[in-house]
Amino acid sequence: MKVVGINGSSRADGNTFILINTVFEELRKEGINTEMIQLFNKDIKPCRGCGACRNGSCTLENDDFNRVFDKMAEADGIILGSPVYSADVSARMKALLERAGYVAAMNPEILRHKAGAAVAAVRRGGGMTAVDTLNHFFLNKEIFVAGSTYWNMVYGKDSGDVLKDEEGMRNMKNLGQNMAYLLKKLHSED
């Protein structure tokens, strides 16, 4: 099994990266392979709404979207992570969700019945909105959402500050354990 984590932050190895890696550590303990995709260096344009993606991929080919989406489609599980910008997910993450949502709506089998988990790095407010945006993507695409003992957000402003939020980091570990459990249950029926 494999889980791809998508870091929607503009910072390469900041707080969102730390959160996804914390979930990854728990998955790896259970023998699940992981791959991080960081959007900070990816060019993903907004969706044009042209509907030409009925063939299973976006026809807008002069950016990085299809390479990222193909990894999502190939994975057994997806972690979406974003810092909170203006009380929601980052613009990079939003562009990915818009295009991935459209391709998956045109081709529902592509993402159906995968496992998903959302995480947000939060300075003060907007964390629930960001987690909600990510979870709405999963739920609308028939992706089973792993939860934890609290909301999947961890507080911290500067890079590395999330490590000081002990409860939030425990929640990320628990989220990884729950996602591993869900993946194993989903694959025990194969």
Side-chain angles (χ1 to χ4, degrees):
M1 289 180 284
K2 183 173 184 180
V3 172
V4 63
I6 301 174
N7 177 6
S9 178
S10 295
R11 295 180 184 157
D13 299 323
N15 287 326
T16 307
F17 177 85
I18 292 168
L19 301 184
I20 295 171
N21 264 328
T22 302
V23 176
F24 275 0
E25 288 170 10
E26 299 304 315
L27 294 171
R28 286 186 211 115
K29 287 178 188 175
E30 297 296 324
I32 298 168
N33 295 316
T34 62
E35 179 182 357
M36 179 79 72
I37 298 172
Q38 301 201 67
L39 298 184
F40 81 93
N41 62 353
K42 304 285 186 280
D43 178 28
I44 299 179
K45 293 176 177 47
C47 182
R48 295 182 302 188
C50 66
C53 52
R54 284 177 172 72
N55 66 353
S57 64
C58 183
T59 59
L60 181 62
E61 295 179 347
N62 60 346
D63 70 1
D64 296 307
F65 171 77
N66 282 322
R67 285 183 290 282
V68 174
F69 186 77
D70 288 347
K71 297 276 187 177
M72 294 170 71
E74 293 165 6
D76 300 293
I78 302 165
I79 299 172
L80 296 176
S82 180
V84 174
Y85 292 165
S86 299
D88 206 341
V89 298
S90 69
R92 292 173 190 276
M93 179 59 76
K94 186 67 173 165
L96 175 71
L97 295 179
E98 284 178 358
R99 292 204 20 218
Y102 212 116
V103 173
M106 294 288 135
N107 307 275
E109 71 288 346
I110 289 179
L111 299 179
R112 179 184 287 145
H113 298 166
K114 294 181 183 297
V119 302
V122 184
R123 184 185 73 79
R124 287 306 259 179
M128 286 302 300
T129 305
V131 170
D132 196 41
T133 295
L134 300 171
N135 281 335
H136 276 123
F137 172 81
F138 289 139
L139 295 171
N140 193 36
K141 302 305 167 218
E142 299 181 78
I143 296 171
F144 300 113
V145 178
S148 191
T149 55
Y150 200 68
W151 307 115
N152 296 336
M153 55 187 173
V154 184
Y155 291 91
K157 180 183 177 206
D158 296 322
S159 187
D161 280 353
V162 291
L163 296 169
K164 299 173 190 171
D165 181 357
E166 294 177 15
E167 179 184 11
M169 294 307 292
R170 279 194 310 273
N171 196 59
M172 292 298 105
K173 288 178 184 271
N174 189 62
L175 178 61
Q177 293 162 5
N178 289 344
M179 189 169 195
Y181 177 85
L182 176 58
L183 282 162
K184 288 180 178 184
K185 288 293 184 184
L186 291 173
H187 285 273
S188 69
E189 298 174 8
D190 289 346

